[in-house]
Amino acid sequence: MKRLRIHIKGIVQGVGFRPFVHSLAKKYGLAGWVINDSRGVEIEVDGDESLHKFIEDLKTEAPPLSQIVDIASELVEISDGAKYHGFEIRESEDVEGERVLISPDVATCPDCLREMYTPGDPRYRYPFLNCTNCGPRFTIIEDLPYDRPLTTMREFPMCGDCRDEYETPSDRRFHAQPTCCPICGPKLNFLDHDGVEIDGDPIELAIEFIKNGKIVAVKGLGGFHLACDATNPDAVRRLRERKHREAKPLAVMVGGISAARRLAEVNSDAESALLSPARPILILPQRPDTKIADGRIHGVTGGLKTIGIMLPYTPIHHLLFRPLPIDPSETSKIAIPEEIGGPGDEKFDKFVALVMTSGNISDEPIASENDEAVERLKGIADGFLIHARKIYRRADDSVATIRSGIATIWRWGRGHVPRPIFLPETLPPVLGVGGELKTTVCHIRNDKAFVSPHIGDLKTFETYGYFDETISHQEKILDVKPEIIACDMHPDYHSTRWAEERSEKSGLPLIKIQHHHAHAVALMVEHGLSADSEIICLAMDGTGYGTDGNTWGGEILKTSMTGFERLGHITYAPLPGGDRAIKEVWRTAYGRLYKFLKSDNLSALFGEIPDEHLDVVGKMIHDNINSPQVCSLGRLFDAAAFIVGIRGSTIDADFDGQFPMLLEALVKSDPHGKTAILDGIVSVDDSGKISIDGDKIILHIAHERSINNLPPDELAFEFHEIVIDSLFRAATIACESTGISTVGLSGGCFMNRILHEQLTKKLTDSGLNVLTHRIMPPNDGCISLGQAISAAYKIKR
Ligand SMILES: [Zn+2]
Ligand SMILES: [Zn+2]
């Protein structure tokens, strides 16, 4: 007989790992013990031949929410007569200097759903049931260790029955910290628009309100949602008006997979992403023949050909779609959700789809507490479905999409935080404070990097406060004290100013990382590249401060973790009015075409812009007043979109990236990757610097419209084709001149499906290795990670 000591590192706590080990040991008849310590899980077992099977099963049969990073085992000597009898789960231990990894919030599991839908079960119809495999985690944890007294569930002492389950190793609620039942746990309440409680069944009241076209604020896991009936055009319009969200797409929730299939193209990749425990909002192609097209879902997609869909992920959501009768004897009428083998037919659903959008006013953080929600959402919501389980940390829904068959995250949030990115080596504790829009922050602790949930646009006062709060909370639950701060080079970013102030006050060194370099490093670390790796990175986004003081964003970089060389870029053009041109995209087109207006007879393209505006902007460009030089691909898309003729209800962009997204939506079929139709767009000068001639691209599209009268969809197609081909050529040249064969694609422009998939394909077909984001968003949500890692390596070397 042998005795093995097994150490397991990763996400192995609060996910049902010890009961799993317990039952596995019983299966093989092994004696010993398992314990949680702050490094992970430790096991000691006595056995013989079955030991290797036991270890094999530990890896392959681990609970769905666990993530094993490392398993190590060693032989231990058995001292005389000290044999184990039976297998026990021992009390947790803390190890100095190490902290456990806590699990993200998890969608209600099939076992819990089954209980909720079973008449006679103690938790029948109970909207707060959860177990070791599901329920709230990150959003209710105030401090570590992860135990009930340090979560917002401490206000609900367990009843005798719940405690029995909690203490029984073989029970599926063994050590489930948030477990509760109708006797001891929270309850739902329904409030009117003034915050006054209405008598009646809260779920039924919420359904009735929504059915009547009203907007209901629903307390979820990471904050409040604003919900309304997606098939009621008046309700959707009211929600948009009250939320000041004119055109930005709204996410919808549907009752199950078959309902999702009615609205969107759901293949098996999409199905597993929709049903994954993180339950993201998944951006999918709309089905052309659906109820959206015949007008049953209104005003949710903002004119795009995609739709953001998610499935219910809390018991409250399930009950809104498939309410249960108060009297269990009437249960013949109920619909059993698909996740537990129910009919999964939307004829049982109360709603075709609910708009479920973050409970906030545009650009502010999501509301998380009852009083705060009533205060802030007054005037938007007609009713509030609330409860007393507090949300300690807010987290927006995660957003994901499918690219080349793989789920790809666009917004890091609920369901993913606080999952770490595992690093190839231990690095110094750096705080990366991110950018300005779509901000996140990142802390490094030893060999892991922790990226915060999506914070948002730091320009609003509320978001800035949330940013500050997020940093303090992360430092507490991760038990880290940053020794270095990393920020962007942009002098006017709120995050830069925060970092400068903090550095001055605390004396901590501040390292500024160039925006697109941060993009590249985030991509490299996400793919587990080592410290000495180098890649070619195409960093394509809207704006980023360059080392020459200009606005970058069309970058061909050779990058390492610590530095970069700018091998080339899209050519510069003036951006008359600076940030104003981001909203008024005609200015961007004017900046690109100004010098060709007369000779090429292009003035008619700007026919609808009043002459006095053209005069002023023309003078700005001519005299170089408030016209920064910009080379970003995002602005090139804006210019093309304007020329192609995208207007919509307004001539101004309503949200970041709107015009490029509308331009993408025009393209009817993907380019086939044929050779470029235009010569001379990509060139290399004597010093080896690569240029992509942005003027030429825009001028070509302008000619195609004004001379050849090409329709918008063909113009959009051609523009995409030229851009893909140009980036392909530029990347190939960069790889040849450097001998590097790995090309990374980062930046918000790669959220464009056609660009992402076609360029990846072309580069891969030509024998290059392509890296794209999967875990971190390609947009500025990844910046904090890149900043922290790059700064950490700079200090370490
Ligand atoms: Zn469960
Ligand atoms: Zn109870």
Side-chain angles (χ1 to χ4, degrees), residues 107-113 115 129-135 172-173:
T108 309
C109 75
D111 289 338
C112 284
L113 271 182
E115 283 183 3
L129 84 173
N130 62 77
C131 71
T132 9
N133 288 326
C134 75
R172 63 184 201 86
R173 293 200 165 88

Side-chain angles (χ1 to χ4, degrees), residues 508-526:
L508 297 181
L510 179 66
I511 299 181
K512 296 189 175 180
I513 306 292
Q514 199 279 325
H515 191 92
H516 302 97
H517 182 218
H519 267 289
V521 174
L523 187 60
M524 292 168 79
V525 74
E526 184 185 324

Side-chain angles (χ1 to χ4, degrees), residues 277-504:
R279 291 286 155 98
I281 296 170
L282 194 66
I283 311 293
L284 291 169
Q286 271 176 52
R287 272 187 55 177
D289 57 337
T290 60
K291 289 172 178 170
I292 305 174
D294 71 24
R296 283 196 55 195
I297 287 196
H298 298 269
V300 299
T301 62
L304 303 178
K305 282 198 287 192
T306 52
I307 182 167
I309 295 187
M310 64 180 147
L311 299 186
Y313 57 82
T314 69
I316 299 174
H317 299 148
H318 283 282
L319 290 172
L320 281 176
F321 277 93
R322 289 152 191 186
L324 285 159
I326 300 168
D327 179 357
S329 68
E330 291 176 35
T331 41
S332 55
K333 295 173 199 160
I334 62 173
I336 309 295
E338 286 149 294
E339 292 89 323
I340 51 173
D345 193 318
E346 72 267 40
K347 77 173 177 246
F348 290 104
D349 291 349
K350 283 282 171 191
F351 303 100
V352 171
L354 288 176
V355 168
M356 278 283 200
T357 182
S358 300
N360 59 359
I361 300 171
S362 279
D363 301 334
E364 290 183 2
I366 187 166
S368 64
E369 262 335 301
N370 297 345
D371 295 350
E372 179 209 357
V374 172
E375 192 50 48
R376 280 178 52 200
L377 303 178
K378 226 180 212 176
I380 303 183
D382 302 302
F384 294 83
L385 185 59
I386 59 151
H387 55 77
R389 188 180 71 205
K390 287 194 182 118
I391 297 169
Y392 187 70
R393 287 309 302 163
R394 52 189 121 207
D396 276 282
D397 291 317
S398 297
V399 178
T401 193
I402 306 288
R403 285 289 177 267
S404 312
I406 302 170
T408 300
I409 293 170
W410 274 1
R411 183 164 80 189
W412 185 249
R414 190 258 319 145
H416 292 298
V417 282
R419 214 149 45 89
I421 314 279
F422 294 93
L423 310 176
E425 59 186 287
T426 292
L427 291 175
V430 182
L431 161 66
V433 295
E436 179 84 342
L437 301 169
K438 302 185 172 69
T439 310
T440 56
V441 298
C442 171
H443 283 93
I444 297 178
R445 189 186 72 195
N446 301 330
D447 57 352
K448 295 170 200 79
F450 296 84
V451 177
S452 75
H454 167 82
I455 296 170
D457 178 354
L458 292 188
K459 283 194 199 78
T460 71
F461 177 74
E462 285 77 8
T463 314
Y464 189 70
Y466 176 42
F467 166 80
D468 201 67
E469 218 174 82
T470 303
I471 294 173
S472 326
H473 177 254
Q474 275 214 157
E475 287 173 9
K476 193 156 127 195
I477 63 160
L478 299 174
D479 194 23
V480 284
K481 275 209 171 7
E483 286 166 17
I484 299 122
I485 304 174
C487 69
D488 199 90
M489 286 180 167
H490 200 302
D492 297 328
Y493 277 4
H494 288 80
S495 56
T496 306
R497 294 210 196 116
W498 184 97
E500 282 167 347
E501 257 170 51
R502 165 70 75 101
S503 161
E504 209 161 281

